[in-house]
Amino acid sequence: MPSFDIVSEVDLAEADNAIQNVTREITTRYDFKGSKSTIEMKEGVITIFADDDMKLRQMHEILQGNMQKRGIEPGSLDYQKEEPAAGQAVRQQVLLKQGLDKELAKKIVKAIKGEKLKVQVAIQGNELRVTGKKRDDLQDVIAFVKSMKLEQPLQYNNFRD
């Protein structure tokens, strides 16, 4: 039976390349001269350290732009609460969303079943497996899930006939 997987993954190597580009851009920008602003990534968690809120917002824009250039959608960045550091400085962690959480997976399954498409959807860990009798049914599911306008970017892979 034809099947495919719905996943949400981020290529950590590309994310690391984007972080290096952000670091390079911060060191060359005029508005960051003399600033102690830094950005680093460890195990899928990006830590942004900025001198003040304005520089933090600018670093968000730089980060999102570089991530998009590397093929990582901004929806896969999960900004955590800002933490005050020494003086005016601000620290913020950004998580890279890997996999589907249970609530989102259940929401997608419920929506697909509500459409009365002739497919079976199974939650397997942090991904969804969709199986059906016809390839056209699976393509309808992909088109429907894309039209749901979810905040988390999804990929459709492992398509088998």
Side-chain angles (χ1 to χ4, degrees), residues 11-29 37-42 46-48 59 62-67 69-70 72 96:
D11 185 358
L12 293 178
E14 289 296 333
D16 191 43
N17 289 338
I19 298 297
Q20 291 172 8
N21 289 343
V22 170
T23 303
R24 206 172 301 118
E25 188 171 336
I26 288 171
T27 57
T28 59
R29 277 182 59 155
S37 301
T38 60
I39 186 168
E40 60 184 29
M41 184 172 93
K42 288 182 184 164
I46 301 168
T47 305
I48 301 174
M59 288 177 76
I62 297 168
L63 176 64
Q64 288 178 353
N66 279 293
M67 288 290 194
K69 286 178 190 173
R70 289 286 179 179
I72 299 171
L96 293 173

Side-chain angles (χ1 to χ4, degrees), residues 20-109:
Q20 291 172 8
N21 289 343
V22 170
T23 303
R24 206 172 301 118
E25 188 171 336
I26 288 171
T27 57
T28 59
R29 277 182 59 155
Y30 179 75
D31 51 346
F32 282 96
K33 288 278 190 246
S35 168
K36 296 182 181 92
S37 301
T38 60
I39 186 168
E40 60 184 29
M41 184 172 93
K42 288 182 184 164
E43 300 166 10
V45 178
I46 301 168
T47 305
I48 301 174
F49 183 82
D51 292 344
D52 52 42
D53 282 337
M54 188 180 85
K55 285 193 175 54
L56 182 67
R57 301 287 168 252
Q58 289 174 335
M59 288 177 76
H60 285 184
E61 290 177 23
I62 297 168
L63 176 64
Q64 288 178 353
N66 279 293
M67 288 290 194
Q68 275 192 311
K69 286 178 190 173
R70 289 286 179 179
I72 299 171
E73 296 183 41
S76 54
L77 300 175
D78 183 17
Y79 293 96
Q80 302 298 306
K81 189 172 179 259
E82 296 176 12
E83 305 167 1
Q88 290 282 321
V90 185
R91 182 183 309 117
Q92 185 175 32
Q93 293 195 335
V94 182
L95 303 177
L96 293 173
K97 293 180 185 176
Q98 296 278 39
L100 299 172
D101 59 336
K102 286 194 186 302
E103 291 81 32
L104 181 60
K106 287 179 182 177
K107 178 181 172 183
I108 294 171
V109 170

